[in-house]
Amino acid sequence: MARNIEIKARITDVQALLPVAAALADAPEPVLIHQDDSFFACANGRLKLRQFDDSRGELIHYHRADAQGPKLSDYVIVPTDQPAALREALQRAWGSAGRVIKRRWLLMAGATRIHLDEVQGLGHFLELEVVLRDDQTEAEGQAIAQQLLRQLGIGPQQLVSGAYVDLLQGRAA
């Protein structure tokens, strides 16, 4: 099972934080990714289909607490080459629980994915995902996330709980 420590914060502007994040990253050039995430009704955790383009997507199931600050997430990712058809089948079977469209700038700092997100209808965010090795503890991952937050100049008042879909639906702060 894959695990990571995730943390999300509201930021003023992706472009303003990009040079700071690039200075911490293994490679200074971010990768721009367009993502269209469809969430489905799910009694156990969350289920979303992430579509990158017409022929590439990922079905992602995950468990994560909806709390501010670093939190453990365990997840399973299944690639698909038919995201539109899969979205239709899942919507018919489980019902839609929301949709999030964003532009994401991805940088890597060691095993940590630094995401700078421009979310349609919400604004700008930083998201860190510290990917944990099997022998790595949750506390070690949280320490890495906290150190990166300090280096990026992110204060505790900027942290948000929940997923983007929750923020769009007014269910999180």
Side-chain angles (χ1 to χ4, degrees):
M1 166 179 51
R3 304 174 305 138
N4 65 26
I5 298 295
E6 292 188 23
I7 193 162
K8 187 178 289 137
R10 191 174 290 277
I11 60 174
T12 305
D13 182 46
V14 164
Q15 296 305 317
L17 193 56
L18 200 50
V20 180
L24 299 172
D26 302 336
E29 288 302 316
V31 175
L32 177 59
I33 306 166
H34 296 271
Q35 296 179 344
D36 181 349
D37 292 348
S38 295
F39 287 79
F40 305 96
C42 182
N44 188 18
R46 293 185 189 256
L47 182 65
K48 70 180 172 186
L49 175 68
R50 172 165 289 157
Q51 185 169 350
F52 300 106
D53 57 40
D54 289 341
S55 64
R56 194 168 61 93
E58 299 170 336
L59 184 63
I60 304 167
H61 178 266
Y62 64 98
H63 291 102
R64 180 184 70 218
D66 289 331
Q68 290 184 337
K71 51 208 158 269
L72 183 65
S73 176
D74 67 82
Y75 57 93
V76 176
I77 298 175
V78 180
T80 180
D81 61 359
Q82 297 182 17
L86 183 56
R87 175 184 291 115
E88 182 181 347
L90 289 166
Q91 283 176 338
R92 292 173 86 176
W94 299 108
S96 177
R99 196 159 181 181
V100 177
I101 298 171
K102 64 182 170 282
R103 292 191 316 159
R104 169 170 279 178
W105 287 264
L106 168 65
L107 295 146
M108 294 297 300
T112 301
R113 295 185 285 257
I114 301 172
H115 300 149
L116 297 171
D117 293 338
E118 195 174 90
V119 183
Q120 201 173 86
L122 274 184
H124 298 237
F125 294 84
L126 162 76
E127 185 178 275
L128 300 176
E129 293 179 350
V130 182
V131 180
L132 299 175
R133 298 183 314 269
D134 289 342
D135 66 338
Q136 207 166 19
T137 67
E138 186 175 339
E140 290 172 313
Q142 289 178 350
I144 292 167
Q146 293 291 357
Q147 174 65 26
L148 280 169
L149 285 177
R150 284 189 293 277
Q151 292 174 303
L152 291 162
I154 303 297
Q157 73 282 3
Q158 293 173 266
L159 301 182
V160 296
S161 61
Y164 293 137
V165 70
D166 296 330
L167 293 171
L168 282 167
Q169 295 171 350
R171 295 189 311 231

